[in-house]
Amino acid sequence: MGQSLSQKLVDATVVQHGRRLIADAGCRGLYLDVRPKGKSWRFRSTDASGSFTSVTIGDATSMPLDEARREAASLGYSRPPRRMRSTDRIMPTFAAFISERYMPNALATKKSAVWEQIIFRNHLLPAFGHLKLDQITKSAIGLMIQQKVVAGYKPGTVNRILANLKTVLSKAVEWEIGGLEKNVAKQVKALRDPPHHDRFLTQVEAERLIDAVHSSNSPMLRYIIPFMLFTGARKREALDARWQYIDLENATWTIAITKSGKPRHIPLSPQAVGVLIKAKATAERLMGRSSEWVFPNPTTGKPYTSIFQPWDICRRAVGLGDVRIHDLRHSFASALVNRGMTLYDVKEVLGHSNIATTQRYAHLSPGRLREAVSQAGDHYAGSVK
């Protein structure tokens, strides 16, 4: 808020040190700029692009207030509403924002960047790539969701696509891209997604699955799947495994960067070590050289981006179409529990940050629970008359 200036106030206002800037309530944009060596009239405004501008109108000791107001009025004052500051010139399209700003940042800071690229390529860019960020509406997002459901995508998949869109638009708002003020995707509710029941492989099912991957056309799948079953590793942990973190002599695998952000040390069973030795020999034979990656794609020499297609062929071939790759981790955990390992031990091996996450496996060994109850009964049996 300014103050109503008078010529008397203008003449009397002085400062000995620093600077005093007084806005004139009688003329929007007009300021009296007072400094120790003098005073001047300044006009400040915001142009059509939202950029701040300031110009000197004249010396306040020789230009009267009325003349300064007339000069300021001739310059005009233009401050577009904040929501309109983003013009076509500065508001990027969704595709441009993704390629020029979002992905460079994601690749440098996020482990999930590769997965995000897949979502962008297959879902978000086809739907919104041509639109400017402020042209993406709730109705457009709702239509995209509807199309995914009609196309047969499950609620969990659609919700992950929506979550990724929310993340992208939140970053655009945070970084003040084109003056974008709000994330409209936040107002769109996720689909109801019934919880997935964990699937645990029986020994017979595991044998059928291992036989299937050994017949796969994907040369490294026969090692990746058993390795995950023997270690309980997450898919990306296994695919991104490097030899520098594996100590075959001491049968230990160190995962330097985990989902929780903390390094994890996994003891390797003799079966897991055997898989690693065979995988190394096969990779060197197919590539003609050694690789830093444990399970490299022989074609690219780099980790697999996805193994879903050969995995899907194998699981369906043996009637296990309901088994997800992540269920290998659940099966590993169930094997530990049913072999007598405590939930704390399972928590440490799987790398859970909270024991509550591990509690989902508590029901897997009713026989051991009955044994524990019987031992408590035996302990106090002599006290019962």
Side-chain angles (χ1 to χ4, degrees):
M1 292 290 294
Q3 65 183 85
S4 184
L5 292 177
S6 65
Q7 188 61 53
K8 183 177 180 180
L9 179 61
V10 171
D11 294 337
T13 302
V14 294
V15 294
Q16 298 297 323
H17 304 284
R19 177 186 185 188
R20 186 179 179 189
L21 200 63
I22 306 173
D24 179 22
C27 180
R28 192 177 184 190
L30 180 63
Y31 288 78
L32 176 64
D33 188 357
V34 186
R35 308 187 190 209
K37 293 185 178 182
K39 61 188 77 172
S40 61
W41 295 111
R42 296 188 64 80
F43 180 75
R44 312 175 84 189
S45 68
T46 304
D47 63 22
S49 68
S51 300
F52 172 79
T53 61
S54 178
V55 295
T56 300
I57 295 177
D59 188 340
T61 59
S62 59
M63 177 182 284
L65 172 61
D66 290 343
E67 183 179 346
R69 284 174 171 171
R70 287 194 298 271
E71 186 66 24
S74 69
L75 292 175
Y77 186 90
S78 121
R79 180 186 293 273
R82 191 176 175 196
R83 60 178 296 189
M84 298 301 293
R85 288 184 193 171
S86 56
T87 65
D88 288 348
R89 181 176 62 82
I90 61 174
M91 178 63 75
T93 63
F94 183 80
F97 174 63
I98 291 297
S99 63
E100 296 170 9
R101 291 294 304 275
Y102 183 83
M103 279 312 303
N105 176 268
L107 290 170
T109 61
K110 301 176 69 174
K111 294 184 295 181
S112 61
V114 174
W115 170 244
E116 285 186 297
Q117 284 181 314
I118 296 174
I119 292 181
F120 293 145
R121 182 173 63 250
N122 295 338
H123 305 288
L124 294 180
L125 287 176
F128 308 115
H130 63 290
L131 297 177
K132 294 184 182 299
L133 293 176
D134 55 357
Q135 293 175 333
I136 299 175
T137 62
K138 287 172 57 179
S139 61
I141 298 171
L143 178 61
M144 183 271 293
I145 291 175
Q146 180 182 347
Q147 291 172 339
K148 296 302 174 185
V149 172
V150 171
Y153 289 95
K154 294 182 179 179
T157 301
V158 177
N159 289 341
R160 283 191 290 273
I161 296 171
L162 175 61
N164 195 245
L165 178 61
K166 290 181 179 180
T167 298
V168 171
L169 294 182
S170 288
K171 282 298 180 184
V173 173
E174 177 186 341
W175 297 339
E176 300 179 340
I177 302 299
L180 190 67
E181 276 196 308
K182 64 179 181 179
N183 178 357
V184 296
K186 283 187 175 181
Q187 303 171 23
V188 180
K189 293 183 179 181
L191 299 177
R192 291 189 61 185
D193 185 18
H196 181 90
H197 295 292
D198 294 336
R199 176 72 156 82
F200 306 103
L201 289 171
T202 66
Q203 289 183 335
V204 173
E205 288 175 332
E207 290 174 3
R208 283 160 43 198
L209 184 61
I210 297 303
D211 288 341
V213 298
H214 274 279
S215 302
S216 173
N217 292 328
S218 178
M220 300 306 290
L221 191 70
R222 67 185 61 189
Y223 307 116
I224 295 172
I225 299 304
F227 182 74
M228 294 178 65
L229 190 59
F230 292 148
T231 61
R234 298 180 177 93
K235 180 178 66 176
R236 281 263 50 106
E237 290 174 342
L239 297 183
D240 294 335
R242 298 174 184 243
W243 283 112
Q244 70 181 97
Y245 297 116
I246 291 180
D247 183 350
L248 290 178
E249 183 177 349
N250 294 305
T252 304
W253 174 28
T254 299
I255 302 179
I257 302 177
T258 65
K259 185 177 180 180
S260 66
K262 300 177 181 179
R264 184 160 103 252
H265 306 284
I266 299 179
L268 298 174
S269 66
Q271 294 83 358
V273 171
V275 169
L276 290 173
I277 293 173
K278 293 176 181 177
K280 185 177 182 66
T282 298
E284 291 179 352
R285 175 175 56 81
L286 294 174
M287 298 172 57
R289 57 182 173 82
S290 59
S291 172
E292 65 176 305
W293 309 102
V294 176
F295 305 111
N297 183 332
T299 303
T300 64
K302 298 179 180 180
Y304 287 89
T305 300
S306 173
I307 57 172
F308 179 78
Q309 185 175 10
W311 156 259
D312 191 44
I313 292 173
C314 290
R315 65 173 179 167
R316 293 185 184 281
V318 291
L320 298 174
D322 64 325
V323 177
R324 306 169 303 167
I325 287 184
H326 198 69
D327 290 328
L328 300 177
R329 181 172 165 86
H330 295 317
S331 298
F332 172 78
S334 73
L336 293 181
V337 172
N338 285 303
R339 292 282 179 160
M341 299 288 284
T342 67
L343 290 183
Y344 177 80
D345 294 328
V346 176
K347 170 184 176 295
E348 292 302 303
V349 174
L350 294 183
H352 290 158
S353 58
N354 193 318
I355 190 65
T357 307
T358 320
Q359 289 289 343
R360 67 201 300 181
Y361 305 114
H363 69 285
L364 292 175
S365 185
R368 289 195 57 80
L369 293 179
R370 281 195 295 270
E371 179 182 345
V373 171
S374 296
Q375 290 179 359
D378 292 341
H379 181 77
Y380 290 108
S383 303
V384 179
K385 300 293 185 179

